[in-house]
Amino acid sequence: MKYVVTLNGKNYEVEVEETEAVITAVTDVVQAAAPAAVSAAPVQTAAPAAAPAAPVGDGVKVLAPMPGNILSVNITNGQAVKKGEVLFILEAMKMENDIVAPEDGTVKQILVQKGATVDTDAVLALI
């Protein structure tokens, strides 16, 4: 079956074999294409994820853009960071994603540790 999937504002045509639920081809699609509904079996994990600590105080939230696992925490509490500096490396769908500082500031609180599993929009740190 073929589906049109929108990811980060870009449409992709995805071909899926029903018997194995394996992506066999991915092709760019023109933005005007209408996305189709995609149904998939839920992903099973080896163990339930621990809930991240709740943010304490005010600050700019650094959020996880997608669910995944924290491979690396490159900051410490009290550390000065510059906009665009890599704070975390998040593994999602076997790809490593840099999570960067949204602005200059000082790290007020780190809410995850290496190896943690996070959901989309989970607060990773406060700056």
Side-chain angles (χ1 to χ4, degrees):
M1 299 185 87
K2 289 186 178 183
Y3 299 96
V4 175
V5 179
T6 303
L7 178 64
N8 293 330
K10 189 171 182 180
N11 291 333
Y12 296 91
E13 185 176 292
V14 180
E15 188 174 331
V16 179
E17 293 178 15
E18 286 185 13
T19 57
E20 297 178 29
V22 175
I23 296 175
T24 57
V26 177
T27 312
D28 284 340
V29 176
V30 183
Q31 284 287 30
V38 176
S39 62
V43 176
Q44 295 184 4
T45 58
V56 176
D58 294 327
V60 175
K61 295 178 181 178
V62 178
L63 303 177
M66 64 193 79
N69 297 314
I70 302 296
L71 291 183
S72 174
V73 177
N74 302 335
I75 53 174
T76 57
N77 285 320
Q79 178 181 337
V81 295
K82 296 285 185 186
K83 181 177 182 175
E85 182 177 339
V86 177
L87 307 179
F88 301 93
I89 297 178
L90 174 74
E91 178 187 40
M93 299 184 294
K94 298 183 181 180
M95 293 182 65
E96 293 182 9
N97 302 277
D98 292 342
I99 309 303
V100 300
E103 62 181 45
D104 292 353
T106 302
V107 178
K108 293 181 180 181
Q109 185 179 15
I110 300 171
L111 300 165
V112 295
Q113 59 186 349
K114 181 179 177 179
T117 300
V118 297
D119 291 324
T120 302
D121 293 332
V123 180
L124 306 177
L126 293 176
I127 296 178

